Structures are given as structure tokens and as C-alpha cells.
């Protein structure tokens, strides 16, 4: 904690898509914002509900847009899910519907990936959901496997429009089995707290920057963080009024924080 005579020392959590980038394009000013955080030695971590890619893959993706962010400063719903399962049931087993971001995270905590009597069915993001894999997941949940999903997002973006995402496929499995999954990613504040632990941050001196009221802002609030909504993604000034809670601050984009990262409020 800062003394009364010292300025507040902030730690930043921020969403990726809609805050720093749109698909494969840099949001103007995001590079200057990140550069200022690094120049001032301000701790930060980039969050994403997407579980498809590993942090290393995401680092390369961001670098192609012009953003140089360390692999250690990227926290995904796959990592949060692995962190959760590693604490709940160390060195357990799981049947995974997802891609390398999720399977790598589970391998790294010592999990065995199997379709033979697994402890968990873990559902994540993939661009190629297999009917056969979903059927296997349904049958394993029916047999008693615990049902975990990386995030509740119903759709994901693509160049051609929306794609079904984890939440939609989870609803299909729930409809077939009557079993609801436990969602680890945003808006579950668990993801915020696991990111804070990963970066050594504290809720009273951390702010969350996001573009969605229903995931970023609410999860930040529930984790006890200050919140900033940017208008470069999903939510608008009009849509803010539809929610029973408000962000601490609304700005046009992270470019508005350049020159103010040490005193954002």
C-alpha cells in the first residue's frame, strides 16, 4: 500500500480483443500505451477468454500487430482452468474438447488426457468442433465426469462473422446431459484472482480494462478491482445504462491513458 504522501502504484489487467487489437489489427495507440507501462515499470497482464492458443502463440500474434508483450504477461482462460484443476485435483485426468492452448496448459500441470473414465470433461474453444468429440463428452458426463468449461462466451469473432464458441457447445452438452458446467473464465472473478496471483498484484491497487460490461467490467468489480471500460469493442455508452453496475471510468480507448498510466483516475 502507498503511504498518504505517495501516489497510488497501480497494476493493470486488461482484455486483449477489443482493447489492444481487433482480430489481427492494432487498435490505434495501444502500442504507445503498452510502451508507457513498460517504461514506468508498471506491472500488467493481458487476459483473454479464448483458450485456443498458448501464451507463446498469442505473443507471436500480438507481435505481428506491432505489440511486443512478454509471454509471461499473457493469461488465458486455459491457464486459469489448468490452475483451478491443479488446485482442485492435482495430477488428475481429463477428456478435452479444445486446442493446443488448453491441452498444453493441462499437460503442464501433470494432467493425463484420456477418454477412459476421466475425472473431468474440459470444454474449450476450437474452430473445428467435432460431433464425435462432443458425443464422447456427453457420454462421459453422463457416466459421472465433472463438467468444466473454460468460458461462457456463446460466440467468437471471425472475418466472416460470428462462430459458435464454448458457451454454445456447453449449452448443447447441458441440454443432452442435464449437467451445467463450471465456467472458469470471465465473468468468473476466479480468473481475475488467478491472474493477480500470477503477477503478484493486489486487488486494492489493480484496475481492469475491458470492452465488455457483461464479462470484463463485472468480473473486475466482483474481484474488488477498479474498472475502466473502453469503447473500442463491444459495449457502448448507451449499453452501459442497461446494467445495474457501472465501471469506475469510461474512455474512448487505451490511447486516452497515454501520459496518465501512473494516475489513471
Amino acid at each position: 500500500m502507498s503511504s498518504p504522501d505517495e501516489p497510488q502504484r497501480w497494476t493493470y489487467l486488461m482484455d486483449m480483443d477489443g482493447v489492444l487489437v481487433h482480430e489481427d489489427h492494432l487498435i490505434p495507440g495501444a502500442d504507445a500505451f503498452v510502451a508507457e507501462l513498460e517504461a514506468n515499470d508498471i506491472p500488467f497482464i493481458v487476459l483473454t477468454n479464448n483458450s485456443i492458443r498458448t501464451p507463446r502463440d498469442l505473443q507471436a500474434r500480438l507481435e505481428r500487430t506491432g505489440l511486443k508483450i512478454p509471454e509471461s504477461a499473457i493469461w488465458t482462460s486455459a491457464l486459469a482452468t489448468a490452475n483451478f484443476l491443479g488446485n482442485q485435483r492435482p495430477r488428475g485426468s481429463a477428456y478435452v474438447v479444445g486446442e493446443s492452448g488448453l491441452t498444453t496448459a493441462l499437460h503442464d500441470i501433470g494432467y493425463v488426457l484420456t477418454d477412459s473414465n476421466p475425472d473431468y470433461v474440459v470444454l474449450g474453444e476450437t474452430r473445428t468442433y467435432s460431433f464425435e468429440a462432443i458425443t464422447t463428452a456427453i457420454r462421459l458426463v453422463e457416466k459421472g465426469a465433472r463438467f468444466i468449461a473454460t468460458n461462457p462466451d456463446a460466440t467468437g469473432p471471425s472475418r466472416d462473422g460470428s462462430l459458435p464458441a464454448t458457451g454454445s457447445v456447453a449449452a448443447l452438452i447441458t441440454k443432452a446431459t442435464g449437467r451445467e458446467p463450471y465456467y472458469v473464465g470471465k465473468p468468473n472473478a476466479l480468473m481475475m484472482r488467478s491472474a493477480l496471483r500470477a503477477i503478484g498484484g493486489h486487488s486494492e491497487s489493480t484496475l481492469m480494462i475491458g470492452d465488455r460490461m457483461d464479462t470484463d467490467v463485472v468480473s473486475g468489480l466482483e474481484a474488488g478491482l477498479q474498472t475502466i471500460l473502453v469503447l473500442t469493442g463491444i459495449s457502448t455508452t448507451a449499453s452501459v445504462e442497461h446494467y445495474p453496475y457501472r465501471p469506475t471510468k469510461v474512455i474512448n480507448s487505451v490511447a486516452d491513458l497515454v501520459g496518465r498510466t501512473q494516475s489513471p483516475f
Side-chain angles (χ1 to χ4, degrees):
M1 293 288 292
S2 300
S3 75
D5 298 323
E6 295 175 340
Q8 175 72 65
R9 176 74 171 170
W10 290 101
T11 297
Y12 281 70
L13 305 185
M14 66 195 81
D15 189 32
M16 185 171 70
D17 290 295
V19 175
L20 301 177
V21 294
H22 270 308
E23 282 289 306
D24 295 322
H25 300 286
L26 180 75
I27 288 176
D31 49 350
F33 167 66
V34 170
E36 184 172 307
L37 292 177
E38 292 179 329
N40 291 326
D41 293 321
I42 296 174
F44 71 92
I45 199 162
V46 177
L47 303 170
T48 177
N49 256 359
N50 195 303
S51 64
I52 290 178
R53 298 179 178 90
T54 65
R56 185 174 299 174
D57 295 335
L58 289 170
Q59 179 190 35
R61 175 197 169 195
L62 291 170
E63 191 164 355
R64 287 193 295 272
T65 72
L67 278 176
K68 292 187 177 180
I69 292 178
E71 182 181 342
S72 59
I74 299 172
W75 190 250
T76 71
S77 64
L79 291 177
T81 298
N83 184 75
F84 170 73
L85 292 180
N87 289 327
Q88 288 282 304
R89 189 175 291 263
R91 304 191 72 82
S93 61
Y95 176 73
V96 175
V97 180
E99 296 198 18
S100 61
L102 184 54
T103 56
T104 299
L106 290 172
H107 272 137
D108 286 349
I109 63 163
Y111 257 55
V112 173
L113 306 188
T114 179
D115 61 2
S116 177
N117 195 32
D119 297 317
Y120 298 96
V121 164
V122 183
L123 175 67
E125 214 82 49
T126 172
R127 295 293 175 94
T128 55
Y129 283 110
S130 156
F131 184 77
E132 180 181 357
I134 293 168
T135 300
T136 299
I138 288 169
R139 291 172 180 169
L140 292 171
V141 170
E142 286 177 333
K143 290 177 182 176
R146 301 155 186 85
F147 186 18
I148 301 290
T150 56
N151 68 85
D153 297 9
T155 61
S158 78
R159 292 184 180 88
D160 299 320
S162 294
L163 293 171
T166 306
S168 294
V169 179
L172 187 160
I173 296 172
T174 295
K175 188 70 172 178
T177 63
R179 299 273 296 279
E180 295 276 353
Y182 180 70
Y183 292 107
V184 177
K186 297 177 294 180
N188 190 343
L190 182 69
M191 185 164 173
M192 302 291 108
R193 289 192 287 269
S194 63
L196 281 174
R197 285 194 296 272
I199 201 173
H202 302 281
S203 58
E204 66 270 15
S205 58
T206 300
L207 62 87
M208 172 66 193
I209 306 174
D211 70 307
R212 294 185 63 133
M213 288 290 291
D214 58 347
T215 55
D216 304 318
V217 171
V218 71
S219 58
L221 285 170
E222 290 180 355
L225 315 181
Q226 300 294 307
T227 58
I228 294 180
L229 179 74
V230 293
L231 303 177
T232 46
I234 301 295
S235 293
T236 64
T237 50
S239 68
V240 169
E241 302 303 323
H242 299 159
Y243 293 88
Y245 50 85
R246 296 185 63 84
T248 311
K249 189 173 186 176
V250 180
I251 60 177
N252 288 320
S253 80
V254 290
D256 294 346
L257 292 172
V258 175
R260 305 178 57 192
T261 52
Q262 293 178 306
S263 54
F265 297 112

